Amino acid sequence: MKCVFVTVGTTSFDDLIACVSAHDTLQIIKSLGYDRVILQIGRGKVVPEPFRTESFALDIYRYKDSLREDLQKADLVISHAGAGSCLETLEKGKPLVVVINEKLMNNHQLELAKQLHKDGHLFYCTCRVPTCTRRTSPLLLLLLRSAKILQRGQLPSHP
């Protein structure tokens, strides 16, 4: 199973969860060869309905003692730009797409994501919900672009 793991850490990031769990996004993820998405939704108010079909699964939880197991299973990680989540993912050598929470004041997430991208460790974007559609979402466009880059073996370097 090829797996995408999405994490918001201990906070809430409803825009990210809504965007990733949208039908268009799940279709794109599936078209890229992934057959499972695990959403760690933190304390968010958006709680998508988990489901399983013969060819795809969406699993959801709020918190676990450790994300280690989900990071190990992941072929791609989509995360908020919290330092802990970014560093733990990069330590595991996993491809990382960081989504900036534009609703935060004094957006330290943007600074961290820009620097880690500049250093060649990850890709980053914003969500731009509610316009999270196939044509306009920066997250979907980045997913498509980064998946093509990753499939060619051009993985960003890791610390």
Side-chain angles (χ1 to χ4, degrees):
M1 272 187 128
K2 281 188 73 178
C3 179
V4 176
F5 176 54
V6 181
T7 179
V8 302
T10 58
T11 185
S12 65
F13 191 176
D14 287 341
D15 287 350
L16 174 58
I17 298 302
C19 189
V20 172
S21 63
H23 179 76
D24 281 352
T25 309
L26 294 176
Q27 289 302 111
I28 288 173
I29 289 170
K30 187 175 178 181
S31 77
L32 293 170
Y34 297 96
D35 48 19
R36 184 176 185 202
V37 173
I38 302 170
L39 298 177
Q40 183 267 318
I41 64 170
R43 64 174 195 254
K45 293 182 175 111
V46 173
V47 184
E49 193 67 35
F51 69 87
R52 288 190 181 283
T53 67
E54 287 183 22
S55 61
F56 197 82
L58 176 67
D59 297 314
I60 296 153
Y61 66 90
R62 288 196 181 273
Y63 301 105
K64 286 184 180 176
D65 291 337
S66 171
L67 301 180
R68 184 173 303 146
E69 182 181 331
D70 292 316
L71 286 170
Q72 283 302 122
K73 289 178 191 172
D75 297 289
L76 174 66
V77 177
I78 300 172
S79 176
H80 71 125
S85 296
C86 289
L87 295 176
E88 188 173 0
T89 300
L90 294 173
E91 285 173 357
K92 298 274 188 264
K94 299 296 181 168
L96 177 59
V97 173
V98 164
V99 182
I100 307 301
N101 188 344
E102 294 179 298
K103 293 181 179 178
L104 295 178
M105 301 280 287
N106 301 320
N107 203 340
H108 65 282
Q109 288 195 0
L110 180 57
E111 295 169 20
L112 177 64
K114 278 184 176 180
Q115 186 61 51
L116 289 172
H117 174 73
K118 182 180 172 187
D119 294 342
H121 300 299
L122 54 78
F123 301 102
Y124 76 96
C125 66
T126 60
C127 235
R128 303 260 192 238
V129 170
T131 59
C132 187
T133 67
R134 182 181 291 244
R135 284 184 224 117
T136 61
S137 169
L139 174 58
L140 295 183
L141 295 174
L142 183 62
L143 274 175
L144 287 170
R145 190 183 117 220
S146 60
K148 288 176 185 174
I149 290 169
L150 295 172
Q151 287 169 354
R152 288 194 308 254
Q154 297 172 335
L155 186 66
S157 60
H158 298 290

